[in-house]
Amino acid sequence: MSLAAVPARAASGATAAAAPPPGDAILRRQRVRESSARTYARSFPIVPVRAHGMTVEGADGRRYLDCLSGAGTLALGHNHPVVLEAIRRTLDSGAPLHLLDLATAEKDDFTSALFESLPAEFAARARVHFCGPAGTDAVEAALKLMQTATGRSGSLAFTGAYHGMTAGALALTGNVAVKEPLPGGGEVVRLPYPYGYRCPFGVGGETGAQLGATYVERLLDDPSGGVVPPAAMILEAVQGEGGVVPAPDGWLREMRRITAERGIPLIVDEVQTGVGRTGAMWAVEHSGIVPDAMVLSKAIGGSLPLAVVVYREDYDGWRPGAHTGTFRGNTLAMAAGAATLRYVAAHGLAERAAVAGARMTARLRELATELPAIGDVRGRGLMIGVELVDPAAEPDACGARPADPALAVRVREACLARGLIVELGGRHDAVLRLLPPLTITDEQVAAVLERLADAIAAASGPASGLASASAVSSGSAASGSEASGSGSGSRPGSASAVAPSASAPAAREGA
């Protein structure tokens, strides 16, 4: 029988089975019809039907606090009124929704809002290019731009980097697992990123970052170092998928100095860090560096697809059509994006991210003294990582214990059972990544911390193995089976909507 023909409810009659939970049929069809490459659907086997702010409601009526925020896309949370108003106003105006790269009032307004938000020294001599509506296409465009300007082809990228899944961006990405099945994507020299907890030089801290900068400089100047002059260096001021690893400001300034002195364009990937996420409108502002190009996506579209490259006008040597795409310039996304950029600036949400993030990080570091499974807590603003480790293992020279990816999966599932959506990342997928909206309230901060602490304690405690086996005996993370979480039926944003439920049910298997 076709899955599409499966009835929503069992047939009537004395022997009829109980109706399946709402959304189960949708989950079944998704498992059959969508590709094996789906990811978040495996981690969070729920069917969202409504969302507001930080709260997501599933088809089964359960509510969750969303600390994923569309992988950082939702700066203002779900369905923020200023975003909805911008979309409705644009729809009601009769403005064309698709015009390739023609000039429109909406594009002009978005460009103005974007340039107003950028560091003044950078914006004063900048050009913008609208790309296909994903960060990976903006990375491709930035690479092509610099290759055209310099006449070179190679690139400098870093360990732990993530820049996208198209060919050029994937070549720059550090994750080996996603690249192994594919042919090479161009010459990329891999450089050490300053990851203090697992320092590539085994020393950690400021010394490790200084060693990394010295290594980069000497490698580039070594005539036998094997590095052909590259078209660009690309880096993230805070590595997101790489495990929420912030680069020290001094190291970033060194990368800017090293590249500037050698005529190497510097591209900063702000796809996930931009629009206030790190406690500044743009992550480069913490260090004060002025890059040659910035790659922007995610939050700049106000929850809708949009991606751009902003770069110094000196590099604008492209011919017409050098990088095109049918969907470069979504009118609704530009309207929503302009509204989001201005709202973040007008309401001080970058500063709010800094304050709320500092509070969360401080409490998580306190928890690390109580819960030995927490190896490291790091981040910037509301971009926070909690690295989970095996506390019984021997530490390395820097004091870091081995990552525990199995524990991380248990914690993620325990969080979901408690009404909290948290995703994993990092070198071994053992880092809990917190990306709540910049609009998170103090009450929601407290609820997130309480639920997360409870989940880590439960998943890492003596009975965690038995509890995990009961919750995921069919491998819910891999198979996409149903899980349930706490949350009352109260309206989003109310006290009961963010308060942990004492009667939160355990995760259950999907049919």
Side-chain angles (χ1 to χ4, degrees):
M1 178 188 295
S2 165
L3 285 175
V6 175
R9 297 182 179 276
S12 61
T15 60
D24 271 13
I26 294 174
L27 291 170
R28 291 194 193 99
R29 288 194 291 271
Q30 181 184 44
R31 289 196 292 271
V32 170
R33 300 193 297 200
E34 291 191 24
S35 85
S36 296
R38 68 191 187 280
T39 54
Y40 297 110
R42 297 176 184 273
S43 304
F44 310 108
I46 59 178
V47 178
V49 293
R50 275 174 292 278
H52 176 79
M54 194 176 173
T55 304
V56 173
E57 182 180 338
D60 57 3
R62 301 189 186 279
R63 295 195 171 197
Y64 305 85
L65 288 178
D66 184 4
C67 269
L68 178 58
S69 300
T73 298
L74 304 172
L76 304 183
H78 295 273
N79 293 324
H80 192 280
V82 74
V83 172
L84 297 183
E85 169 57 26
I87 293 172
R88 290 191 186 102
R89 184 174 63 249
T90 304
L91 289 172
D92 292 344
S93 74
L97 300 183
H98 184 272
L99 279 173
L100 299 170
D101 66 354
L102 296 183
T104 65
E106 292 76 17
K107 177 187 281 190
D108 182 63
D109 186 55
F110 170 80
T111 303
S112 296
L114 176 63
F115 276 50
E116 289 163 7
S117 76
L118 292 170
E121 186 179 350
F122 182 57
R125 299 180 57 208
R127 296 284 183 95
V128 62
H129 178 76
F130 289 82
C131 308
T136 188
D137 191 59
V139 170
E140 299 281 353
L143 287 176
K144 288 166 66 174
L145 174 71
M146 297 312 181
Q147 289 167 350
T148 300
T150 64
R152 309 170 196 155
S153 60
S155 303
L156 303 175
F158 290 87
T159 55
Y162 180 82
H163 297 292
M165 298 296 285
T166 49
L170 188 60
L172 300 168
T173 294
N175 190 325
V176 174
V178 296
K179 300 199 298 183
E180 278 183 326
L182 304 172
E187 182 177 353
V188 176
V189 175
R190 190 73 52 187
L191 302 170
Y193 194 85
Y195 182 4
Y197 187 63
R198 300 192 187 279
C199 176
F201 301 101
V203 294
E206 185 178 339
T207 301
Q210 290 173 344
L211 285 173
T214 300
Y215 174 84
V216 171
E217 186 164 26
R218 294 193 177 178
L219 179 66
L220 294 178
D221 290 345
D222 185 349
S224 296
V227 181
V228 175
M233 172 189 283
I234 185 168
L235 58 80
E236 301 156 272
V238 182
Q239 290 190 339
E241 304 297 328
V244 194
V245 185
D249 291 339
W251 181 86
L252 286 168
R253 287 190 283 268
E254 280 294 277
M255 293 305 102
R256 175 68 285 191
R257 177 188 65 79
I258 289 168
T259 53
E261 290 177 355
R262 290 156 183 80
I264 301 171
L266 177 63
I267 303 168
V268 177
D269 184 335
E270 290 253 18
V271 168
Q272 193 166 108
T273 55
V275 195
R277 170 64 54 190
T278 67
M281 184 61 84
W282 307 102
V284 294
E285 295 180 80
H286 295 291
S287 62
I289 66 169
V290 179
D292 297 301
M294 289 169 59
V295 177
L296 314 177
S297 187
K298 291 191 185 293
I300 66 163
S303 76
L304 298 180
L306 187 63
V308 302
V309 179
V310 187
Y311 55 92
R312 281 176 45 199
E313 60 186 3
D314 315 54
Y315 293 100
D316 196 24
W318 270 344
R319 295 180 179 178
H323 191 86
T324 65
T326 302
F327 294 101
R328 61 190 190 281
N330 180 317
T331 302
L332 290 180
M334 288 186 285
T340 297
L341 287 166
R342 291 193 172 112
Y343 189 91
V344 169
H347 290 80
L349 292 189
E351 294 80 4
R352 168 63 185 167
V355 172
R359 176 184 169 192
M360 295 179 75
T361 301
R363 175 56 186 143
L364 289 167
R365 286 177 177 155
E366 289 176 2
L367 283 174
T369 65
E370 306 165 16
L371 299 171
I374 298 178
D376 192 35
V377 176
R378 54 184 179 260
R380 202 150 203 176
L382 287 173
M383 191 171 180
I384 301 169
V386 180
E387 185 157 352
L388 299 178
V389 300
D390 178 359
E394 288 295 318
D396 63 15
C398 293
R401 288 182 165 82
D404 194 337
L407 170 61
V409 169
R410 295 199 301 271
V411 171
R412 179 179 64 193
E413 291 166 349
C415 284
L416 195 65
R418 288 158 176 78
L420 179 63
I421 295 174
V422 175
E423 186 53 304
L424 308 178
R427 306 301 203 272
H428 303 280
D429 277 338
V431 178
L432 302 173
R433 300 176 57 219
L434 304 179
L435 294 164
L438 312 187
T439 53
I440 187 172
T441 66
D442 289 343
E443 187 180 26
Q444 289 170 333
V445 166
V448 168
L449 292 170
E450 184 175 351
R451 297 182 194 191
L452 183 60
D454 188 52
I456 295 174
S460 60
S464 63
L466 180 61
S468 177
S470 173
V472 294
S473 59
S474 65
S476 63
S479 67
S481 59
E482 183 84 14
S484 58
S486 69
S488 69
S490 57
R491 61 182 176 82
S494 68
S496 55
V498 299
S501 170
S503 59
R508 56 185 168 79
E509 296 175 21

